[in-house]
Amino acid sequence: MYLICPFQAVVLPHFFCLVLCLCSGWLPAEKLAQEVSCSCADATVCGLLLTASGAAFEMSAIEKIEEQFASLRIAKRSVLSEEPAYLLDIDVSGSAQSASSRFVAVSCSNKSIRVYNRETLNFLREYSSCPGTLNGVRFAHVCDSLVFSACSDGMVKCWDIRLATQKAAQVFSGYPSNVFISFDINCSDLMICAGTEKVETDTFLVFWDARGSTDCASTIREPLGVYSESHNDDVTKICFHPVKPSLVVSGSTDGLVNVFDINKDNEDDALISTCNSDSSVSFIGWSGKDYEQIYCTTHDEGFCWWDLAQLDTEEPIMLLRVLDARDAVCIENGSLNYLVGGMYHEKAGRLFLIGGTATGDVHLISCSAAGLSLVGTLPGGHSATVRSFCWNPAEESLLTGGEDAQLLLWRPGAVERSLAKKMSMKIASSVQKRVRVHNSSLKNRKK
């Protein structure tokens, strides 16, 4: 169906009906493009109307996220343990047959992993690896009862939370000098990668075959191999691609964010891209359509965002660089003290950052090529710095953990039945942020 331009009075009402449908979310932008074909001389003005209507539709998606975030209230609060600790990392198990069998795992500053019921936040299990320190926590994607963590004693350990034992179901051993401070498991549960601290001149990405993690209980698995040439300082973060099991991105205190295809025969061929954040990397992730973008936050609260789809083009791959998000985000009657990490919202097609204040407020920040902007704030939950989060867009729920030793579950419109007394804790963190002077003479393979 072809319509004459809206500036011709005969069809003016129908065109604006289409635009109104678009702005209300009733009509996709692609459908509008199919419905409308301009035949008037003033096509430029007509195109401007279409562009404006598309922008209105985009704004409505952001406004919906803003409304959802603003509606979040504390639904559950974990009970303080006998040994309070900072909650440094959170992961949630994948979909299970029943909601009661789904879990939350938290990496704590007292060198332990704690497991909770996902719906009630009732405490279930605690694992430790003394004298080593556990760094990070991940559930297997297929079997939601398997939880992994990397250890400073040079091992990645896997526990089966169905078993009432502290003993690891599987141990993945590194090399004698390895001190693991980051790790991830790929989306097919076939490969584990861990990053090491720098020891003398050596920094490694170590890989293991993770198949059949519980077939041979408590056996020790040796590495498949290592990458040793792509970073020259501590590997602070590892993140596999959400749907492509062979792609992995690593971040380091050397400022580099490297993307590898581990299906390649050697490290040089596997290195797809090296991006430079110019600062110590604190968080990395994937975003965008088909997850072809990568981003990172830094220990001095910077933010970088790259589009890997432009690698083989003449276009720059840098989408946005923010030297200090604390200065870039305008918060009326408030402040941004730090960034925690990021998440890509598939339905909205938008990348968001989570940040906060020293008094425990949680900020949701939207990312675009134009810059960073505040979406909303959740006050009154935590009483100290928020260190970890896990956002579930499908359930519109948020988990947050902080230096007040509190694990909070936020849901739309929830009412907390029993408010635990918040305590401003002054326990010393066992994890020190690594902020270093960076060498400007970094790897040449950059774009």
Side-chain angles (χ1 to χ4, degrees):
M1 175 179 177
Y2 290 90
L3 300 177
I4 303 173
C5 175
F7 298 102
Q8 299 183 20
V10 180
V11 292
L12 183 63
H14 184 58
F15 177 83
F16 281 110
C17 277
L18 288 172
V19 173
L20 284 172
C21 288
L22 173 73
C23 296
S24 304
W26 298 335
L27 184 68
E30 312 85 74
K31 182 64 176 175
L32 181 64
Q34 294 170 3
E35 290 284 329
V36 179
S37 177
C38 177
S39 61
C40 89
D42 201 350
T44 301
V45 180
C46 192
L48 287 174
L49 273 178
L50 286 172
T51 302
S53 64
F57 174 72
E58 182 180 355
M59 285 303 295
S60 69
I62 297 299
E63 288 168 358
K64 186 175 181 181
I65 299 298
E66 183 176 353
E67 184 179 292
Q68 291 173 351
F69 191 75
S71 71
L72 292 177
R73 298 292 183 272
I74 300 172
K76 298 290 180 182
R77 186 189 300 262
S78 65
V79 177
L80 284 172
S81 66
E82 293 181 1
E83 185 185 357
Y86 291 7
L87 307 186
L88 304 176
D89 195 14
I90 299 175
D91 197 29
V92 178
S93 63
S95 299
Q97 292 183 350
S98 63
S100 60
S101 63
R102 301 168 79 178
F103 310 103
V104 178
V106 181
S107 174
C108 306
S109 63
N110 66 350
K111 308 178 182 180
S112 72
I113 297 293
R114 293 176 185 162
V115 181
Y116 300 84
N117 180 287
R118 185 176 179 180
E119 299 301 318
T120 65
L121 295 192
N122 289 336
F123 173 77
L124 299 175
R125 298 272 190 274
E126 184 169 13
Y127 304 106
S128 63
S129 187
C130 291
T133 301
L134 294 174
N135 294 291
V137 62
R138 291 290 180 271
F139 278 99
H141 300 85
V142 177
C143 180
D144 74 340
S145 65
L146 299 181
V147 62
F148 297 79
S149 186
C151 187
S152 61
D153 64 6
M155 297 182 183
V156 175
K157 296 185 178 181
C158 169
W159 293 272
D160 189 337
I161 59 181
R162 295 169 297 186
L163 306 177
T165 176
Q166 286 283 317
K167 195 172 185 180
Q170 188 66 259
V171 175
F172 301 86
S173 176
Y175 298 104
S177 64
N178 291 164
V179 176
F180 294 130
I181 57 173
S182 59
F183 88 105
D184 198 13
I185 182 168
N186 73 350
C187 61
S188 61
D189 291 342
L190 298 181
M191 189 69 64
I192 293 173
C193 177
T196 71
E197 281 188 348
K198 183 177 182 179
V199 177
E200 295 181 353
T201 59
D202 296 327
T203 303
F204 298 106
L205 298 180
V206 185
F207 296 89
W208 297 266
D209 182 348
R211 287 176 291 185
S213 292
T214 58
D215 290 348
C216 302
S218 297
T219 57
I220 296 179
R221 296 199 180 186
E222 301 298 328
L224 291 175
V226 301
Y227 291 164
S228 61
E229 302 296 330
S230 301
H231 287 294
N232 57 34
D233 214 330
D234 299 355
V235 180
T236 52
K237 288 293 176 179
I238 303 284
C239 185
F240 276 99
H241 193 279
V243 294
K244 297 179 180 179
S246 68
L247 295 184
V248 64
V249 59
S250 61
S252 168
T253 54
D254 63 11
L256 298 184
V257 177
N258 291 326
V259 182
F260 300 94
D261 182 351
I262 61 175
N263 278 342
K264 302 298 183 180
D265 292 336
N266 56 67
E267 183 175 353
D268 284 342
D269 292 340
L271 184 59
I272 296 174
S273 174
T274 293
C275 303
N276 193 353
S277 72
D278 290 321
S279 188
S280 175
V281 174
S282 61
F283 188 95
I284 53 177
W286 300 82
S287 67
K289 183 181 178 182
D290 299 323
Y291 291 95
E292 292 187 327
Q293 300 166 0
I294 56 172
Y295 65 94
C296 80
T297 62
T298 65
H299 284 116
D300 52 5
E301 316 311 336
F303 171 72
C304 295
W305 189 14
W306 300 276
D307 186 0
L308 301 181
Q310 304 301 327
L311 281 174
D312 296 325
T313 73
E314 296 301 319
E315 298 297 320
I317 69 170
M318 175 65 75
L319 295 171
L320 181 66
R321 180 190 294 273
V322 176
L323 295 179
D324 194 332
R326 294 169 294 187
D327 298 329
V329 180
C330 180
I331 300 177
E332 188 175 352
N333 299 321
S335 62
L336 175 68
N337 298 144
Y338 54 84
L339 296 175
V340 186
M343 61 167 187
Y344 179 68
H345 195 299
E346 285 188 349
K347 190 174 292 187
R350 179 67 67 126
L351 174 62
F352 295 94
L353 300 178
I354 295 287
T357 68
T359 55
D361 292 348
V362 179
H363 297 314
L364 182 67
I365 300 163
S366 176
C367 307
S368 71
L372 305 179
S373 59
L374 180 70
V375 175
T377 299
L378 297 178
H382 291 278
S383 59
T385 299
V386 174
R387 297 289 293 266
S388 55
F389 74 96
C390 187
W391 167 253
N392 187 329
E395 297 181 359
E396 298 179 4
S397 65
L398 176 70
L399 284 159
T400 55
E403 294 185 3
D404 57 2
Q406 294 282 328
L407 176 63
L408 302 184
L409 173 62
W410 306 74
R411 291 190 185 280
V415 177
E416 189 177 8
R417 292 184 180 179
S418 59
L419 287 172
K421 184 179 179 181
K422 296 189 298 177
M423 298 188 306
S424 297
M425 300 181 58
K426 296 182 179 180
I427 55 177
S429 174
S430 65
V431 175
Q432 300 295 326
K433 288 183 178 179
R434 300 176 178 87
V435 183
R436 302 189 179 178
V437 178
H438 302 286
N439 192 337
S440 60
S441 59
L442 296 171
K443 204 166 177 68
N444 295 324
R445 193 185 302 188
K446 308 186 190 83
K447 183 175 179 181

